[in-house]
Amino acid sequence: QIELVEFGGASVQAGGRLRLSCASSGPTNKFYAMAWFRQALEKEREMVALIYPRGGGTVYTDSVKGRFTISRDNAKNTLYLEMNDLNVGDTAMYYCAAKTSIGWARANLWSPSEYEYWGQGTQVTVSS
């Protein structure tokens, strides 16, 4: 059983930056995709960014393009999310997720239901 553990959440002021990390107990290069999701109070969980661990390709939701960067270090089995120019709208619980190759061809990677493994979440709070 794979475990994902997030680190790095904190309370920051608007305009600040944070770096989230997600340590995997298994090799990240075995996953088809890894992603960061977030869920704000009374809102649905949404995908923020994803990366294909083997090729390194990335996808971002529009609201974070140019501010967030997702990356991975397969040697350390760790996923990262660098967040810059944070705003109040970024306040949420952030989750790391991983998807295996099962059903990859038809997968909607924007949907949380596609991901088999999840971390427990780390809170990011941005104040104005």
Side-chain angles (χ1 to χ4, degrees):
Q1 181 71 11
I2 299 294
E3 290 188 0
L4 302 176
V5 181
E6 300 98 335
F7 302 93
S11 295
V12 297
Q13 290 195 322
R17 57 170 44 174
L18 282 175
R19 187 193 199 201
L20 305 183
S21 301
C22 170
S24 171
S25 64
T28 51
N29 63 5
K30 297 298 185 183
F31 294 124
Y32 173 68
M34 296 189 76
W36 288 97
F37 283 77
R38 66 185 179 188
Q39 188 166 16
L41 284 174
E42 300 181 351
K43 290 191 176 180
E44 293 187 353
R45 192 169 295 191
E46 66 167 347
M47 195 193 78
V48 174
L50 76 83
I51 190 167
Y52 297 96
R54 297 169 202 166
T58 58
V59 178
Y60 297 91
T61 193
D62 285 347
S63 63
V64 307
K65 284 180 182 176
R67 300 189 299 122
F68 290 12
T69 302
I70 188 171
S71 62
R72 89 289 186 220
D73 184 335
N74 289 335
K76 295 182 179 179
N77 294 324
T78 302
L79 179 73
Y80 303 100
L81 185 67
E82 188 80 33
M83 305 187 293
N84 296 303
D85 193 22
L86 286 160
N87 59 57
V88 173
D90 296 316
T91 295
M93 185 72 79
Y94 283 72
Y95 297 91
C96 168
K99 174 173 175 48
T100 68
S101 298
I102 297 173
W104 68 272
R106 294 179 177 271
N108 173 11
L109 295 178
W110 294 92
S111 172
S113 63
E114 294 287 356
Y115 294 80
E116 292 96 333
Y117 301 104
W118 289 87
Q120 81 290 346
T122 187
Q123 179 67 37
V124 173
T125 302
V126 184
S127 58
S128 58

